[in-house]
Amino acid sequence: MRRTVTILGATGSIGRSTRAVIAENPERLQIAALVAGKDAAGLARIARETGASFAAIADEGQGRELAAALAGSGIRHGAGREAVLEAVARDSDIVVSAISGAAGLEATFAALTPGRVVALANKESLVCAGAAVMARARAVGARILPLDSEHNALFQVLGAEPISAVRVMTLTASGGPFRTWSAERIASATPEQALAHPNYAMGAKITIDSASMMNKGLELIEASFLFGLGAEQLEVLVHPQQIVHGLVTFRDGSVSAGMAVPDMRVAAAHCLGIDGRLDAPPTRFLDLVAAGPLAFERPDLARFPALGLAIAALAEGGAAPAVLNAANEIAVEAFLYRRIGFPAIPALVEAVCAQAAGAPMPPPADVAEALTVDHDARNRTRALLSGGRFTVT
């Protein structure tokens, strides 16, 4: 029997990888519903190609374009928040949650229904409301599988071992395009330079986060909720080849590594192959000889302060990670629109987090509380931006 899959974020990089794996395994997988943010034309094309029964566009203003593009196809469709939630509510065995940013939180939470698998690539869901999301999954009997390559590697390495056997989990980072740059050169980096990731083709926001290493900080926070580990049990190593995606150091001193070619289809195949591993084409297998020497180094928090801010938010707990994420999303957007320079991203985030530290809040108990924290932090970030302190002159 084929398993049905709903993809949230169908037109993004994770969506492309997921669709590729499904196309390679038509006898075991089929698409049920698709959700995209703003690309109505792309969503309609994918829905027609994959035979999806439902397509939803989050941007309500794109509803007419989607309807026109799907005219005569017989594919049901909708636009706006309710349409996204309708897509999530439709019958499917697996929901791939890959909507970028805090925008994916409500849909991820709604996807947690009894017996369902949620393949989670939207790390912000756990950053903003990790305790609530994990509690909901346990309460209803849903299963969360990590789709980020690093967390997926750690999940596979851990296997049947109890989390009590773990001393430290290590997430690797490519170091991004600025790994070898001096602080002075990073200070004058342009959006085009920051978007030139050495290993992956990803969306703009996550690529900028990779350049600042905030992405790795968000992944540390995600890992703490996925695996139930404290901040002291999580660390980052820079590994430019991106062959080793994660390492688990066990209490007895042994270390196991999760390794694969740097291709998101590997993690997608693992999550989609929940009833037995899927076959991959030869290009997706790792050749260690061809990969060459593998290098590792400690992250430089002086050149990449965003990672340090995320580590501090993880240690502080409460609503601090949600505030960090909201401020970062606004700061990254400002950088992409050239309102601020690259160093102002962590500076702005730090300023907002410092404001919030004066009145610490408990972790959000549900989606509504998480969205309230997110909304407030975004407003405070915008207020600081409008003050001109961080604006490019």
Side-chain angles (χ1 to χ4, degrees):
M1 184 177 68
R2 291 195 294 177
R3 291 188 178 272
T4 52
V5 183
T6 292
I7 306 177
L8 312 180
T11 59
S13 60
I14 300 295
R16 288 194 297 273
S17 295
T18 302
R19 297 196 325 265
V21 172
I22 293 171
E24 292 163 1
N25 296 273
E27 74 289 350
R28 293 178 58 180
L29 299 164
Q30 68 182 81
I31 289 177
L34 299 168
V35 173
K38 297 181 178 181
D39 185 3
L43 177 61
R45 175 182 53 79
I46 294 166
R48 286 178 177 273
E49 290 174 352
T50 60
S53 60
F54 187 82
I57 192 83
D59 184 349
E60 198 160 3
Q62 299 293 311
R64 288 186 178 180
E65 183 178 348
L66 180 64
L70 289 176
S73 68
I75 298 171
R76 293 190 59 197
H77 52 83
R81 172 180 174 272
E82 293 302 322
V84 171
L85 293 179
E86 180 182 350
V88 173
R90 294 176 73 87
D91 285 341
S92 66
D93 301 304
I94 305 169
V95 172
V96 172
S97 176
I99 297 174
S100 177
L105 173 58
E106 186 177 24
T108 299
F109 201 83
L112 297 170
T113 59
R116 180 181 268 176
V117 171
V118 175
L120 186 64
N122 172 254
K123 62 182 67 64
E124 290 85 359
S125 293
L126 295 187
V127 172
C128 295
V133 169
M134 298 306 291
R136 171 70 176 173
R138 289 191 296 270
V140 302
R143 186 180 182 189
I144 295 178
L145 295 181
L147 184 46
D148 275 332
S149 60
E150 295 82 2
H151 303 86
N152 186 266
L154 292 170
F155 180 83
Q156 294 198 55
V157 166
L158 185 62
E161 291 279 2
I163 202 67
S164 59
V166 175
R167 182 176 182 273
V168 174
M169 280 188 172
T170 304
L171 286 79
T172 62
S174 69
F178 304 147
R179 181 178 66 87
T180 61
W181 287 31
S182 67
E184 293 74 22
R185 191 180 176 195
I186 292 173
S188 61
T190 66
E192 290 77 16
Q193 291 169 323
L195 288 169
H197 193 280
N199 294 329
Y200 290 107
M202 305 178 291
K205 194 270 181 182
I206 191 173
T207 305
I208 299 301
D209 282 348
S210 179
S212 71
M213 292 198 70
M214 177 62 85
N215 189 53
K216 204 53 51 179
L218 297 177
E219 288 180 0
L220 284 176
I221 298 169
E222 180 184 10
S224 72
F225 288 109
L226 278 173
F227 300 107
L229 295 175
E232 73 285 355
Q233 291 178 282
L234 294 162
E235 66 174 14
V236 171
L237 282 179
V238 175
H239 171 48
Q241 295 82 15
Q242 286 288 274
I243 297 299
V244 177
H245 299 278
L247 303 106
V248 177
T249 301
F250 293 98
R251 292 173 60 183
D252 59 8
S254 62
V255 180
S256 296
M259 306 172 71
V261 294
D263 186 330
M264 284 306 303
R265 291 173 294 178
V266 174
H270 174 257
C271 291
L272 297 178
I274 56 172
D275 56 350
R277 289 189 184 264
L278 304 173
D279 290 327
T283 54
R284 215 171 296 159
F285 286 91
L286 175 61
D287 183 338
L288 281 173
V289 174
L294 304 181
F296 300 88
E297 58 195 55
R298 297 289 179 190
D300 184 345
L301 299 185
R303 288 186 300 133
F304 300 99
L307 176 57
L309 294 174
I311 293 171
L314 172 58
E316 180 180 341
V323 172
L324 171 97
N325 180 74
N328 179 66
E329 288 195 17
I330 298 300
V332 168
E333 180 182 58
F335 171 68
L336 286 170
Y337 281 97
R338 304 179 194 277
R339 292 184 61 193
I340 62 174
F342 190 75
I345 296 175
L348 181 56
V349 173
E350 183 176 23
V352 176
C353 289
Q355 287 181 351
M361 296 177 288
D366 52 33
V367 171
E369 286 189 12
L371 292 177
T372 298
V373 171
D374 179 84
H375 179 75
D376 179 65
R378 287 171 187 270
N379 284 343
R380 285 188 280 115
T381 308
R382 292 188 183 102
L384 285 173
L385 267 175
S386 64
R389 174 183 165 192
F390 299 94
T391 304
V392 175
T393 57

